[in-house]
Amino acid sequence: MSQNSRRTFLKKGLFGLAALPFGMGALTSQAFASSLPPLEEDAPQAKALNYVKNAADASDHAKYQEGQQCDNCMFWKPDNNGCSLFPQNSVEPEGWCQSYVKKG
């Protein structure tokens, strides 16, 4: 191995080791994101926003319109079934709450 290729190898190796903590941080946040506990309908914030796990159950709510559900709302986070309004929990893709805003 020549002197020049040995230096290149060492530089790349050291760069990889230096970048390792950043990669681990990204993996840790993704692992946390994918394991959010589901939001229960009787949770105080869920009640405040009239969250239901099945949008059809909201058909008697004045703001509900057919076709509205969490997975087509602007607050929906598909990578973990999360919602910006309920950051500590996951929500059902077929769910609904009164803060629904069409994605677009």
Side-chain angles (χ1 to χ4, degrees), residues 13 62-63 70:
K63 289 188 73 177
C70 293

Side-chain angles (χ1 to χ4, degrees), residues 4-5 9 18 21 25 27 30 47 60 74 80 82-83 95 100 103:
N4 197 19
S5 57
F9 174 77
L27 291 174
Q30 287 177 347
K47 283 182 174 182
D60 60 340
M74 71 176 269
N80 63 359
C83 174
Y100 174 88
K103 190 183 301 185

Side-chain angles (χ1 to χ4, degrees), residues 38-55 57-58 61 70 76 81 83 86 89-99:
L39 179 65
E40 296 299 326
E41 291 179 355
D42 62 349
Q45 190 176 7
K47 283 182 174 182
L49 294 178
N50 293 301
Y51 169 76
V52 291
K53 292 183 178 186
N54 184 339
D57 294 342
H61 192 281
C70 293
W76 171 251
N81 286 358
C83 174
F86 307 107
N89 299 97
S90 64
V91 295
E92 293 296 320
E94 302 83 23
W96 180 88
C97 82
Q98 71 184 26
S99 295

Side-chain angles (χ1 to χ4, degrees), residues 11-90:
K11 284 180 184 177
K12 288 181 180 179
L14 289 174
F15 177 76
L17 285 174
L20 189 59
F22 297 107
M24 292 303 289
L27 291 174
T28 304
S29 65
Q30 287 177 347
F32 173 74
S34 65
S35 63
L36 293 173
L39 179 65
E40 296 299 326
E41 291 179 355
D42 62 349
Q45 190 176 7
K47 283 182 174 182
L49 294 178
N50 293 301
Y51 169 76
V52 291
K53 292 183 178 186
N54 184 339
D57 294 342
S59 61
D60 60 340
H61 192 281
K63 289 188 73 177
Y64 175 77
Q65 293 178 7
E66 190 172 334
Q68 294 180 344
Q69 59 186 47
C70 293
D71 67 357
N72 62 26
C73 176
M74 71 176 269
F75 300 118
W76 171 251
K77 296 180 179 181
D79 57 326
N80 63 359
N81 286 358
C83 174
S84 299
L85 303 176
F86 307 107
Q88 303 300 318
N89 299 97
S90 64

